[in-house]
Amino acid sequence: MKLKMEKLKTILGKHEINEFEIIELGSDITDAKTQIVASGYGSQHHIASVVFENEKGKYVLGIRNANAKFKSGALKKFSNSKKLKMVSPDVLAKLSQIAGSVCPLTIDPKEVIVVIDESVAVMSDIVCGTGTIENAIKLSRQDFEKVMGAKYVRVAEVQYVRNENELDRYLSGVAPSASEVHLGNYLGAMKQFVDFQNTPGTENYYFLADYHAINTVHEGSSLRSNTQNVMLDYLGAGVDPEKSVFYIESQIPEIFEMTEVLNNAVTLGEMKRMHGYKDKLADPNQDENSINMGLFNYPILMAADILLFEPDFIPVGEDQAQHVEICRDMARSFNSRYGDILKIPELYVKEATGRVIGTDGERKMSKSIGNILGIFSDDNVIKKQIMAITTDPARIKVDDPGDPDKNPIFYYLEIIGHDKSKIEEYRERYRKGTIGDVEFKKEFFEIYREYISPMRDRRAKYAKDMDYVNDMVKENGKKARDVAMGVMDRVRTAIGVYRV
Ligand code: AQP
């Protein structure tokens, strides 16, 4: 082993390569996958080097990114071979190599035909085997090219590769387009974030979609304060930055690069079917000339937010289902052109609360309509919102019998999980006319206040420690960006971005 490492260092020295890292892999290495995990560098930084023998007895060294798969026809073509078979461990030993940790840097180029796939051309750093089981080596791609040459050909297909034992990944976002979230946002989306975050076997990515908000928030100071407020709302709701990767969309510049790539994976016709755009057009005060491109393109930015993180599930409210569907379509369309590159996520909408009705008792609870129930606003604001809840219009006098189905408070009591028998008691009294609407609203205010109080307390605690919150978001942003960079690298390779 020592000899092999000495040989490697001598070769690097000859090429005046001084900046490299010898990575200790520990003793649990059984295959390429465990090697990737042990190295601490993601698969986007690893190459796989495979030695084949052709029908003339010549050795062919194929090199590709760890996320790619050789296409045997192309490999034969570029190595001038009719047949190729992987060599045995004995042959590898003759070349001073071992299976699973081939070191392309120490193979004498006179002994083999070297074929390097284009997927290597976009890698920033390269981690490869050292010919020993104990170590890998990391060096820059430029230094790798000093030893191996920089001739790349297309002999592999980059692929989305997921290990079977990986955790289920959940991802979703909330736009800081207002200074606080409402009960619809919480029950439709955020509560699921917290539930999944606390479910073993999952990993969770939740973010503040600040670039989505600039569609309607046009003052820098408002976007900044909204972002900080909604950040605290998230934490108040129970998203824990030590359990979930909690970050801000704008921390990940790759999202905007990906948006441009995805612009080319969707047609104008498909975009025009999006309900956000159609709803705007239906407004008599709007026409195509007044619709902002940010609104029109919203689903493309959202698809980039999603696809760069390879989630399994997207927990959202029902109003976002169409956007997730188009994101899936874009991924399929991209994959049909370039191969199996992007993971296609699944939509997750909770049936009971996917569309929380507003205080008008009819339409979706929405800040733009103003039919909301706040969570983190002052008590007097929430009281006013509750007092404005529509009630049974047929009830004129306090003791008139009422129809519970015409009073959304019954519905709110159910979706916040209030005691069923107590709801039934209220129903009885409402039907009989023994509880007036104002009295009922006052009682509901107390019940609702109790329901939201743990969230408000938690938010207040975090608000006192903004340094901690900012540090966590900073750290989480880095973690999230690492994932996005890996996928973006794969996408760049697939679309053929030329690197000099
Ligand atoms: N009423 C709702 N019921 C269930 N889920 C809802 N969501 C929003 N309203 C409801 C879900 O909340 C998450 C965050 O949404 P967003 O950041 O896109 O906020 P939004 O949809 O813009 O919220 P509003 O109040 O509906 O805003 P406007 O009035 O501007 O359209 C998403 O998962 C969303 O589905």
Side-chain angles (χ1 to χ4, degrees), residues 230-241 246 458-459 462 469:
V230 177
M231 189 189 283
L232 288 169
D233 290 358
Y234 253 109
L235 302 173
V239 169
D240 178 343
F246 176 47
R458 195 162 34 227
R459 188 188 192 281
Y462 278 113
V469 173

Side-chain angles (χ1 to χ4, degrees), residues 248-304:
I248 309 176
E249 182 185 36
S250 54
Q251 287 176 299
I252 323 288
E254 286 72 21
I255 289 174
F256 310 103
E257 185 180 351
M258 186 67 173
T259 303
E260 180 50 26
V261 172
L262 294 175
N263 273 331
N264 295 286
V266 63
T267 65
L268 186 64
E270 286 168 299
M271 290 300 294
K272 282 187 169 177
R273 283 199 286 277
M274 292 295 103
H275 59 56
Y277 167 75
K278 283 189 4 193
D279 290 352
K280 267 269 145 83
L281 264 194
D283 179 343
N285 301 318
Q286 303 266 0
D287 63 20
E288 263 192 358
N289 294 322
S290 62
I291 292 176
N292 187 291
M293 280 304 289
L295 173 91
F296 187 69
N297 283 338
Y298 173 112
I300 307 179
L301 178 57
M302 177 165 155

Side-chain angles (χ1 to χ4, degrees), residues 266-379:
V266 63
T267 65
L268 186 64
E270 286 168 299
M271 290 300 294
K272 282 187 169 177
R273 283 199 286 277
M274 292 295 103
H275 59 56
Y277 167 75
K278 283 189 4 193
D279 290 352
K280 267 269 145 83
L281 264 194
D283 179 343
N285 301 318
Q286 303 266 0
D287 63 20
E288 263 192 358
N289 294 322
S290 62
I291 292 176
N292 187 291
M293 280 304 289
L295 173 91
F296 187 69
N297 283 338
Y298 173 112
I300 307 179
L301 178 57
M302 177 165 155
D305 288 330
I306 295 172
L307 296 171
L308 279 182
F309 296 90
E310 308 191 314
D312 295 280
F313 299 99
I314 315 294
V316 281
E318 205 181 276
D319 58 334
Q320 293 295 339
Q322 195 189 28
H323 295 153
V324 174
E325 205 37 67
I326 199 164
C327 161
R328 287 160 51 86
D329 286 345
M330 281 183 226
R332 283 195 204 101
S333 155
F334 183 91
N335 284 355
S336 73
R337 278 185 198 154
Y338 297 108
D340 198 6
I341 310 287
L342 298 173
K343 176 171 171 59
I344 300 176
E346 300 287 329
L347 170 72
Y348 179 92
V349 177
K350 192 164 173 98
E351 210 180 315
T353 51
R355 184 173 181 273
V356 173
I357 302 299
T359 50
D360 53 2
E362 272 178 31
R363 293 171 294 175
K364 185 196 89 145
M365 186 177 284
S366 224
K367 59 185 169 284
S368 51
I369 302 175
N371 58 354
I372 65 166
L373 279 184
I375 298 173
F376 301 106
S377 338
D378 289 343
D379 276 1

